[in-house]
Amino acid sequence: MSACRENELDALLAGELSDEDAARVRAHAEGCAACRHALTWLRMERGWMAQRARRTPSRPALDFAALEARLAATAEPSVVPHRAPHESPWRGWRTMLMGAMATMACFGLGLVRSGPTTNAEEPWGAEVLVAASGEACEDAAAALEARVGACLIATPGLALRN
Amino acid sequence: MKMVLAGAPPSDTDGERALLRRARAGDPAAFRRLFERHAPGVWRFLRDLLRDEEAADEATQETFVRAHGRLQALRDEERLGAWLLGIARLVYLESRRSRGVQVDVEAEEHAREVEAVLPTPSPEDLLLDRELEGLLTQALGTLREERRAALLLRIDHGLPYEEIASVMGWSLQKVKNEIHRARLSLREQLSAHMGGSRP
Ligand SMILES: [Zn+2]
């Protein structure tokens, strides 16, 4: 299974493919044990992550009042954060905006991006060949798979449950 | 075959665009609605990166303070969810640096082609019980930080691959490869727990 092939299956489940592409990928998967196997894992992963997301605990940081207080404090850092009850907490919008922009600007300068993490020793196998052809890898993978008449990963004897 | 994902991030509907316009015009109620929609996902992303709930609280607030100040900079074609997660990632990187945490101290996962020997999960594996959830969190924790971030942006936050490339500053191909490898690593680590059939 190439990264690109799995990406297509994943996009299929996410409803991101055009009708035409979805039909093509689905038709392929029906006759391909490796793709069906990958689809089972992908579906399960989606189910797990959805269950996990639903269990997001309620945290103090998710209370908007806490954010309001912080925005007020950010807006007027040197002022005692008292305000009349009728006063909008958004009074300091402009000050805060400038402060935040300055922060972002400084931060942007300090941002370091790490370089590529490709490790030649990793057994990347056929995928690296496909990946090397660049962004059009779906086509390359599909062509290669068509030539060998199977998905890039062969799973003979794979017991599949439906 | 379209699968509706419960617990997925809110999609950028017309409603969200309208809220965004109002928030940009200075309507606090609109900003509040956007916060309430997106804060849980942002918190979860930060919790998964920082692996510390209290640190995630702090970083979530910081993310929204910055977002609030930068709302005008959000381009029309950008999706709010992806934009917020991008800010969250920057806040995370900054917080990690300030805490002096070393990059990638965790054991690098074995990036092996393991698919061929993985069992096919059975229907009962779909239930994420507490034990499995713990294992899943543990398995996520073994991934290199960047790989983990990319994977979560996809499988938890539902970002398209192109948006992940933009958030991570990677090529589309690298995004695909990293996510694929992250998935294989998770599957390998979790397969021992699965009751499914083995080849
Ligand atoms: Zn296939």
Side-chain angles (χ1 to χ4, degrees):
Chain A
M1 180 67 49
S2 69
C4 294
R5 173 65 73 193
E6 184 172 72
N7 160 247
E8 273 203 319
L9 296 171
D10 183 30
L12 173 73
L13 291 183
E16 294 171 349
L17 297 182
S18 66
D19 290 349
E20 195 185 329
D21 284 342
R24 173 179 55 79
V25 173
R26 218 176 280 135
H28 166 83
E30 267 166 30
C32 173
C35 283
R36 287 205 309 277
H37 177 75
L39 273 172
T40 308
W41 273 101
L42 288 169
R43 279 202 196 93
M44 193 168 61
E45 178 188 284
R46 292 174 74 84
W48 285 347
M49 294 313 287
Q51 292 173 69
R52 192 168 178 268
R54 282 197 294 272
R55 290 176 197 161
T56 305
S58 70
R59 297 287 304 176
L62 303 183
D63 180 3
F64 190 69
L67 180 66
E68 272 186 314
R70 185 153 167 163
L71 284 169
T74 311
E76 297 166 52
S78 58
V79 178
V80 183
H82 274 302
R83 61 170 197 259
H86 64 271
E87 215 174 344
S88 162
W90 301 80
R91 204 165 56 87
W93 175 288
R94 277 168 195 283
T95 324
M96 217 255 348
L97 179 71
M98 287 170 73
M101 300 259 278
T103 310
M104 286 301 282
C106 295
F107 180 61
L109 290 173
L111 181 65
V112 181
R113 280 212 194 285
S114 62
T117 55
T118 314
N119 180 347
E121 286 173 8
E122 287 174 336
W124 203 222
E127 294 196 348
V128 96
L129 297 174
V130 174
S133 68
E135 310 280 307
C137 68
E138 270 95 348
D139 295 341
L144 187 51
E145 287 177 356
R147 218 180 316 139
V148 298
C151 268
L152 286 174
I153 177 161
T155 53
L158 181 66
L160 277 166
R161 264 191 216 182
N162 285 316
Chain B
M1 187 132 183
K2 208 173 236 191
M3 185 168 159
V4 177
L5 181 55
S11 59
D12 281 8
T13 56
D14 291 346
E16 176 142 313
R17 294 235 161 257
L19 277 176
L20 198 49
R21 269 195 301 278
R22 283 169 46 202
R24 281 166 142 173
D27 177 353
F31 187 71
R32 179 187 188 131
R33 293 267 302 280
L34 292 172
F35 171 83
E36 285 167 353
R37 260 188 204 204
H38 289 280
V42 166
W43 183 84
R44 209 165 54 247
F45 184 55
L46 287 161
R47 188 264 324 263
D48 288 337
L49 292 184
L50 291 156
R51 290 190 278 168
D52 178 333
E53 296 195 338
E54 275 161 27
D57 283 343
E58 164 64 23
T60 300
Q61 292 265 310
E62 180 60 23
T63 297
F64 278 92
V65 166
R66 290 185 190 187
H68 179 249
R70 300 259 303 157
L71 224 43
Q72 308 297 336
L74 176 64
R75 294 192 309 272
D76 282 344
E77 70 276 13
E78 269 182 304
R79 292 204 316 155
L80 181 64
W83 183 73
L84 286 169
L85 292 166
I87 296 176
R89 186 173 139 72
L90 296 182
V91 169
Y92 157 71
L93 288 172
E94 198 179 55
S95 123
R96 191 186 60 181
R97 265 201 308 275
S98 72
R99 292 190 303 165
V101 179
Q102 271 203 298
V103 182
D104 296 336
V105 284
E106 60 265 73
E108 174 58 84
E109 71 276 19
H110 332 280
R112 285 191 280 131
E113 265 315 329
V114 291
E115 265 167 309
V117 295
L118 288 177
T120 297
S122 63
E124 49 271 27
D125 293 325
L126 277 169
L127 176 69
L128 185 71
D129 60 26
R130 291 292 168 183
E131 187 191 354
L132 185 55
E133 185 176 357
L135 289 171
L136 177 60
T137 298
Q138 203 180 317
L140 284 167
T142 66
L143 298 174
R144 230 181 27 232
E145 177 277 321
E146 293 200 312
R147 190 169 284 177
R148 185 182 347 146
L151 179 72
L152 289 166
L153 288 173
R154 180 65 192 170
I155 71 174
D156 189 11
H157 304 280
L159 264 56
Y161 287 77
E162 292 78 8
E163 284 184 358
I164 298 171
S166 153
V167 168
M168 302 298 296
W170 290 350
S171 71
L172 190 56
Q173 190 52 52
K174 179 166 178 180
V175 170
K176 290 176 181 176
N177 288 338
E178 288 291 317
I179 290 177
H180 178 58
R181 293 170 133 203
R183 280 184 156 131
L184 290 186
S185 174
L186 281 197
R187 289 171 199 170
E188 185 187 19
Q189 294 184 66
L190 293 167
S191 62
H193 189 79
M194 317 267 56
S197 55
R198 261 172 202 283

